[in-house]
């Protein structure tokens, strides 16, 4: 299982103080079948704990996910700032999932090389 974060998500995580360890824990929960919301088409919504406050008062993330293969953190938000994603956003995330989950090792290496994505160390 390889885990990545997109450049925009990485900026969000940095500003919010979300460490890679929290992302690893979120993926471990997903791999264990503890998905907060399966939005279809390889798109899931998963909570990420806010330091010292737990998951319920924390962040929400949109992850493009294919079990045992790849996961991409693509969008993050604070629950108090946004309740949910809109239908048009979900449609865009599903399209993005089709594209990103199909990337082979060469395309992933190129995306990492140009800074579009960063790999998150993961040892599920």
């Amino acid at each position: 299982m390889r885990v990545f974060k997109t450049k925009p998500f990485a900026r969000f995580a940095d500003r919010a103080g979300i460490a890679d360890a929290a992302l690893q824990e979120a993926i471990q929960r997903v791999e264990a079948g503890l998905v907060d919301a399966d939005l279809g088409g390889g798109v899931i919504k998963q909570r990420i704990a806010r330091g010292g406050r737990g998951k319920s008062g924390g962040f929400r993330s949109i992850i493009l996910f294919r079990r045992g293969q790849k996961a991409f953190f693509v969008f993050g938000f604070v629950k108090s700032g946004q309740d949910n994603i809109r239908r048009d956003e979900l449609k865009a995330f599903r399209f993005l999932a089709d594209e990103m989950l199909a990337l082979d090792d060469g395309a992933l290496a190129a995306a990492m090389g140009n800074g579009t994505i960063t790999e998150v160390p993961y040892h599920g």
Side-chain angles (χ1 to χ4, degrees), residues 103 106-118:
L103 295 176
L108 290 169
M112 287 187 287
N114 68 26
T116 303
I117 60 173
T118 306

Side-chain angles (χ1 to χ4, degrees), residues 70-106:
K70 299 178 203 115
F72 295 89
F73 285 87
V74 295
F75 184 66
F77 58 99
V78 180
K79 183 181 178 189
S80 63
Q82 178 177 347
D83 276 338
N84 218 334
I85 59 172
R86 299 183 317 264
R87 286 180 194 258
D88 62 322
E89 290 172 321
L90 178 55
K91 185 176 179 181
F93 286 134
R94 285 178 178 159
F95 176 80
L96 188 60
D98 286 343
E99 299 295 317
M100 293 186 76
L101 293 171
L103 295 176
D104 62 16
D105 288 341

Side-chain angles (χ1 to χ4, degrees), residues 22-96:
L23 304 180
Q24 295 165 358
E25 193 266 331
I27 294 299
Q28 287 171 342
R29 286 193 332 271
V30 171
E31 287 271 277
L34 303 173
V35 175
D36 291 330
D38 185 340
L39 305 176
V43 180
I44 60 173
K45 182 168 70 170
Q46 191 74 356
R47 294 181 294 177
I48 300 173
R50 187 183 295 236
R53 292 181 60 189
K55 292 184 300 244
S56 64
F59 304 100
R60 304 299 184 261
S61 63
I62 300 297
I63 305 170
L64 312 179
F65 179 77
R66 182 155 296 137
R67 183 170 304 285
Q69 295 181 21
K70 299 178 203 115
F72 295 89
F73 285 87
V74 295
F75 184 66
F77 58 99
V78 180
K79 183 181 178 189
S80 63
Q82 178 177 347
D83 276 338
N84 218 334
I85 59 172
R86 299 183 317 264
R87 286 180 194 258
D88 62 322
E89 290 172 321
L90 178 55
K91 185 176 179 181
F93 286 134
R94 285 178 178 159
F95 176 80
L96 188 60

